[in-house]
Structures are given as C-alpha cells and as structure tokens.
Amino acid sequence: MEVYHPTAGKPAKGSEIPPVSYLKWYIPRLKEMRPHNLSFSGLQFPWDLDSIDEIWKDHRGPGIDDRRLVSEMYDIPVENVLLCHGATQAINIAISSASRGGKVAVEMPSYGPLSQSARILGLETIVVRRKPTEAAWEIDRDEWKDALSQVDLLMICPQLNPVGWCYTDEDRAWIVQTCRDNDVRIISDEVYSGAIKDWKPFFKEGDNCISLSSLTKIHGLGQIRYGWMIASKEIIQNAENTFHNMAGIMSSPVIRIAERLKPRLNEPVELIEEYRKLNLPVLQETLERLGINWTPPPYGVFGAFKVPGINTMEMIDTIGKEHGLLAVPGCMFDSGLDEWLRVGWSIDHESFCKAVKVLETVLRTAIYIT
Ligand SMILES: Cc1ncc(COP(=O)(O)O)c(C=O)c1O
C-alpha cells in the first residue's frame, strides 16, 4: 500500500530521497481551483500591493541591513538573524548549521520537509511522536527520553501540523530540560506560532535552541518566499556560510516587497482573531450535528478531527471532488491518521459558511456509505 506520510531512517541520496507526498498530492488538487477550499493552513489575506518601482534592481546600499525587519519583530540584534527564502529553506540551513553529525530526532506528525530534510543532508533520523488526547496532543516521555539519549539534534513544530495544538506547558519545559541534559540542540519550526499572543520563541530557551519562521502562514505571503532563522551568533555564522554556499544571496524583489508591507504586518494577525470568532462556531456546530467530537485549538487557523471509519483521502478524492470540496487528509502527516481530516478556517466568513455546508454533505454521505 502506498504511504503518504513522511518517513524516517538512514541518510538518503538520489532515488532514495523521500518524496513530500503531501505536496505531490496537494498541488494538483489546489490547481483544480475547487470552489470550496478548506485546505489552507495559512491565512488567506487580501493583500493589495501597489506596484513597486524598479522592483528587480539590487536593493543593497550603504546603511541598509535586510535583517532589521526580523530583528525588530523579535527585539534581538541583527547578528542573531539569518534571512532566507521561506521556512522550508530555513529548515535545511538550520540543520546544516546546527548539526554535529549525530542522529536527529524528528517529531511526527509533521510537515514532510521538517522531518525528512536531515536525511538528504546525510543524517540518520529517528521518530518521536505527539499523541492525541481530548485537547492538546502530548508526548510520551519514555519514548522521547530514549530517543533524546541517542541524538544531538531535535526537529519540532510546536504548533503541530495538522492539529494546531501546542505542547502543554509541562511537556515544553520537560523537552527543554531533557535536551539541555543530553546536549541536544532544538530546531523549532514556528511558522504557525506568530498568531499566539504570548508566544515565547524557542531560541529564548538557550543557545542550544533555534527558531525559524516565515511570512507564509500568519501573513499569507507564501508566494514571496521570505523566511528566517534565529539562533546564537555562533550558529548564525555557520548558517550564513551555508546560505552563501547553497543559495547565494537574497532576492531583491522579495526584500523590497517585505519592506513595503512592514508597517501592515500586524493586520493579518488581527484578521486571524476575527476569523476565529466568526468561523469557528460554524464549524463546531456542524461537527456536533455529525456526532464528531472535537475541541478546537485555542489559536491559529486550522485544526484536525477524527471521522471514525472513514478513509479521509478516499473521501476527498471521490465525494469531496464531486462536491468541489478540498481539505487535507491526515495520512499526509503520519501513519495512523487515515481517519483524520485537517480543516482550515482562514477564509472569509461567507465562503467559509458555504464550504462548511458542503463539508457537512460530504461527511454525511461518507458516513452513510460506510
Ligand atoms: C510546519 C511547516 N513549516 C513550513 C511550511 C512552509 O513554509 P514556507 O512556505 O515558508 O517554506 C509549512 C507548510 O505547510 C509547514 O506546515
């Protein structure tokens, strides 16, 4: 049977390089432009940009430091920041610059590049999992303790894709302390965390911790490929060397667009709050009518729930397609999530209400058939 979730294991080169099955499955379906789209894990923000003169020209000049936007966002020196083209590239650069050659523990469920990139960079990976409860997904400390004693690097995504829940405070504190005790560095993908008001980025936990993010999810600007990583000055030096070797320099149009939008970067965060207030109750009522038990995560624009007895990929590819509905099956993120469905509430209220009505029809039909 074909598997779609990310895989762990030995270093991988050439034909052994694992696919990001999620993107292979998702991009063609996104291109179909299905009218009811609940598949987005990022905010769909109605940006309207005037044209920028000579956007293609080199933006560099005396006194210009590209990193200032991010250094001001986090209130840190520019020497702790590396800019790059999206969080996905930051993942690769962070691994290259922080690894000391040992095995890497990778958290599942996951966005494929987060758990698989280390293998392409010549490192072996082992899995640690977060597991469902009624609310926040939790770690199995015995499993994590054993894994963390074998590795020198840990890859995590605190606000977990596809479920949207963060660690409990107790799990987070335990992970930070156990990594400190075992001399493990942490790479934390925080692309979804910017919507959490009192979020404490992992890099604040110590010099062994790296945070990375981008303008893709919270700001709805995935197209421009603007990302960053934050780490100790020593690790950022390694990261700069990696970036120069593997990517060269930042694209000037990307920097110019981000600088133009800088005064407005708070607007999407406010819209997320509005969409949560308007859209979430509609989804909760719908799921209740269907007898599906679900507690939404307290932040962000997506979540996932289990539909017992239903293979959600099959459902989206058949009944979903017929009704023009797109949402993301849980099987893209880990084994054992075949009955889970990820749904986003990141679109305007009117479109959301229409799409959720269709979702109800699709779920009812699937449940009736089985
Ligand atoms: C956890 C996580 N990190 C990163 C990304 C992609 O970020 P970017 O577009 O900045 O590369 C995604 C996209 O789905 C994701 O889920």
Side-chain angles (χ1 to χ4, degrees):
M1 207 183 81
E2 191 171 358
V3 299
Y4 290 87
H5 57 80
T7 55
K10 298 270 181 209
K13 292 282 173 227
S15 61
E16 295 160 351
I17 294 174
V20 180
S21 302
Y22 159 63
L23 293 179
K24 282 196 167 170
W25 179 89
Y26 182 50
I27 292 167
R29 284 155 184 81
L30 199 55
K31 281 162 68 178
E32 287 171 19
M33 306 283 283
R34 296 190 191 178
H36 305 294
N37 195 336
L38 297 175
S39 73
F40 301 116
S41 65
L43 179 68
Q44 303 305 293
F45 190 79
W47 287 112
D48 190 7
L49 250 190
D50 291 337
S51 61
I52 301 177
D53 287 344
E54 305 199 309
I55 189 171
W56 57 274
K57 277 198 173 167
D58 194 347
H59 69 283
R60 294 164 188 85
I64 294 174
D65 193 320
D66 310 345
R67 298 169 295 181
R68 230 177 267 155
L69 188 152
V70 174
S71 86
E72 285 170 12
M73 199 186 269
Y74 290 88
D75 196 18
I76 49 170
V78 289
E79 290 79 13
N80 293 105
V81 176
L82 177 96
L83 288 190
C84 58
H85 289 126
T88 309
Q89 189 177 57
I91 291 168
N92 291 292
I93 294 171
I95 296 169
S96 306
S97 55
S99 166
R100 287 157 288 170
K103 288 186 195 172
V104 184
V106 294
E107 184 181 48
M108 302 266 195
S110 89
Y111 167 62
L114 186 66
S115 55
Q116 295 187 151
S117 295
R119 299 178 62 198
I120 302 172
L121 293 167
L123 301 166
E124 184 173 344
T125 63
I126 55 177
V127 170
V128 286
R129 282 208 159 73
R130 244 188 281 179
K131 300 194 174 128
T133 71
E134 287 295 302
W137 284 36
E138 292 178 0
I139 64 170
D140 172 342
R141 292 191 189 171
D142 289 336
E143 179 201 52
W144 280 58
K145 194 168 181 190
D146 179 43
L148 292 175
S149 69
Q150 302 172 49
V151 303
D152 65 19
L153 198 56
L154 167 68
M155 311 294 302
I156 56 171
C157 178
Q159 194 172 349
L160 196 64
N161 193 358
V163 295
W165 282 95
C166 276
Y167 298 112
T168 62
D169 290 346
E170 294 75 23
D171 276 350
R172 175 173 170 147
W174 184 91
I175 292 168
V176 168
Q177 189 57 49
T178 310
C179 284
R180 227 176 260 149
D181 295 345
N182 286 275
D183 189 24
V184 172
R185 288 178 175 167
I186 301 176
I187 296 178
S188 168
D189 180 336
E190 298 172 10
V191 287
Y192 299 117
S193 307
I196 304 174
K197 279 205 181 70
D198 50 359
W199 173 247
K200 181 182 178 190
F202 262 75
F203 75 84
K204 293 196 172 165
E205 300 283 5
D207 273 0
N208 64 324
C209 297
I210 297 163
S211 294
L212 61 91
S213 192
S214 71
L215 294 181
T216 299
K217 300 295 178 184
I218 303 304
H219 299 93
L221 285 166
Q223 315 82 317
I224 70 168
R225 315 306 301 141
Y226 186 104
W228 58 86
M229 77 178 245
I230 301 174
S232 69
K233 291 177 186 167
E234 179 204 340
I235 290 177
I236 289 294
Q237 278 297 321
N238 304 342
E240 248 176 54
N241 293 342
T242 311
F243 184 79
H244 286 156
N245 272 288
M246 294 174 68
I249 57 174
M250 282 298 282
S251 141
S252 287
V254 169
I255 298 287
R256 282 191 201 280
I257 296 170
E259 288 294 338
R260 173 65 70 90
L261 295 174
K262 186 175 162 185
R264 299 184 54 199
L265 289 178
N266 62 318
E267 289 177 30
V269 183
E270 285 160 22
L271 188 61
I272 287 177
E273 282 314 306
E274 194 181 319
Y275 282 172
R276 286 183 61 83
K277 277 196 203 106
L278 292 173
N279 293 348
L280 260 178
V282 179
L283 179 59
Q284 278 180 282
E285 281 160 25
T286 304
L287 295 182
E288 255 167 49
R289 274 197 299 276
L290 291 161
I292 294 172
N293 209 355
W294 181 61
T295 311
Y299 22 63
V301 287
F302 65 88
F305 47 83
K306 189 173 179 177
V307 196
I310 303 295
N311 178 315
T312 55
M313 189 171 90
E314 222 173 280
M315 179 185 82
I316 291 296
D317 277 343
T318 55
I319 313 165
K321 188 176 162 78
E322 257 167 56
H323 287 81
L325 175 78
L326 189 59
V328 181
C331 66
M332 301 295 160
F333 304 95
D334 199 5
S335 58
L337 298 185
D338 293 356
E339 297 177 344
W340 287 73
L341 188 68
R342 189 187 79 187
V343 166
W345 46 90
S346 58
I347 56 177
D348 69 88
H349 187 55
E350 198 186 329
S351 312
F352 185 76
C353 290
K354 283 186 191 152
V356 169
K357 237 186 198 155
V358 175
L359 173 71
E360 181 167 1
T361 305
V362 169
L363 285 169
R364 249 183 228 295
T365 312
I367 292 166
Y368 176 75
I369 291 170
T370 37

